[in-house]
Amino acid sequence: MTTKRSILLLHGVQSSQLTWWRLQQDLGDLGWQVHAVDLLGHGSRHAVGPSELTIDDLAHDILAQLPGPVDVLAGHSLGSIVALTLVGFAPQYCDRVVIEDPPGSVDLDRVASDVAESVGVTRADPSGTVGALLEENPVWSRRDAENSVQNRLLLDVSRVTRLLRTSRWDLPALVGECPVPVQLLAATRDSALTDPDRSVLMGRLAANHVAVVDSGHTIHRERPGLWLHHVLRFAETT
């Protein structure tokens, strides 16, 4: 009997496991065992204890949620940083890592302010925000927009914005130190991966471990077919 291959999907900031709904279906149809979980402070994963969270806290919490290793660990945006951090202290956890449009040298104070503002607007007018998101993102389905609104309503804004304001990471170093192969999926528009980190990573990674996708920041939502194509091909590489 053939053992199913497994994949863990980690979402980005102010999102949740709901963002993966389409790919969860597609991967499941292809015979994969799919796990999608909420990061601390997001979705149903409420943080308790100290008011400050760290990237390490998020990574350790992922380990606590699942029973064992997976074949592929895929993270989007902040989820990419959590994935690389997790594998750094638990290299036996997966065979390879996919990082989708990871944030490099970005102004995290500005990101935190943007998150707080978008959540405030959403909570003031949830239904209006669904319409605005569909207008701004014509390739999204209504389910994508409704999920995004739900994610903002559930977000622990205080802890998550504090996490962003107090966290710093060196993306090229995290990738360089990763003990397993890494695939980069980079967006062409509104990308969180900007120079100099973008150029550094593309210069360091093997050509077949880099895919530049004509998409905005959420490649898995805007170009799910291409996301699936590149990730499955990476999973088959030796």
Side-chain angles (χ1 to χ4, degrees), residues 80-93:
S80 298
I81 305 302
V82 176
L84 291 167
T85 302
L86 186 160
V87 177
F89 56 69
Q92 74 284 358
Y93 189 78

Side-chain angles (χ1 to χ4, degrees), residues 154-173:
L154 293 173
L155 189 73
D156 186 336
V157 181
S158 176
R159 280 192 171 94
V160 171
T161 55
R162 189 177 293 114
L163 166 72
L164 292 170
R165 290 192 168 102
T166 57
S167 296
R168 295 295 180 269
W169 52 75
D170 183 336
L171 179 60

Side-chain angles (χ1 to χ4, degrees), residues 89-109:
F89 56 69
Q92 74 284 358
Y93 189 78
C94 68
D95 293 331
R96 55 197 67 217
V97 174
V98 176
I99 53 175
E100 177 193 344
D101 214 48
S105 302
V106 295
D107 184 348
L108 292 172
D109 287 332

Side-chain angles (χ1 to χ4, degrees), residues 143-225:
R143 182 171 177 177
D144 289 321
E146 290 174 345
N147 285 347
S148 184
V149 166
Q150 182 176 345
N151 294 337
R152 295 179 186 182
L153 295 176
L154 293 173
L155 189 73
D156 186 336
V157 181
S158 176
R159 280 192 171 94
V160 171
T161 55
R162 189 177 293 114
L163 166 72
L164 292 170
R165 290 192 168 102
T166 57
S167 296
R168 295 295 180 269
W169 52 75
D170 183 336
L171 179 60
L174 285 172
V175 172
E177 295 165 3
C178 187
V180 299
V182 176
Q183 181 191 43
L184 169 66
L185 301 180
T188 56
R189 304 185 305 277
D190 301 320
S191 178
L193 181 59
T194 57
D195 283 326
D197 292 334
R198 190 181 185 95
S199 296
V200 170
L201 287 188
M202 291 186 177
R204 287 184 183 176
L205 292 170
N208 64 338
H209 287 181
V210 175
V212 179
V213 181
D214 184 13
S215 170
H217 179 53
T218 55
I219 298 170
H220 66 278
R221 188 158 47 194
E222 299 176 38
R223 305 297 300 274

Side-chain angles (χ1 to χ4, degrees), residues 120-134:
V121 169
T122 299
R123 291 178 176 175
D125 184 9
S127 61
T129 303
V130 170
L133 286 171
L134 288 172

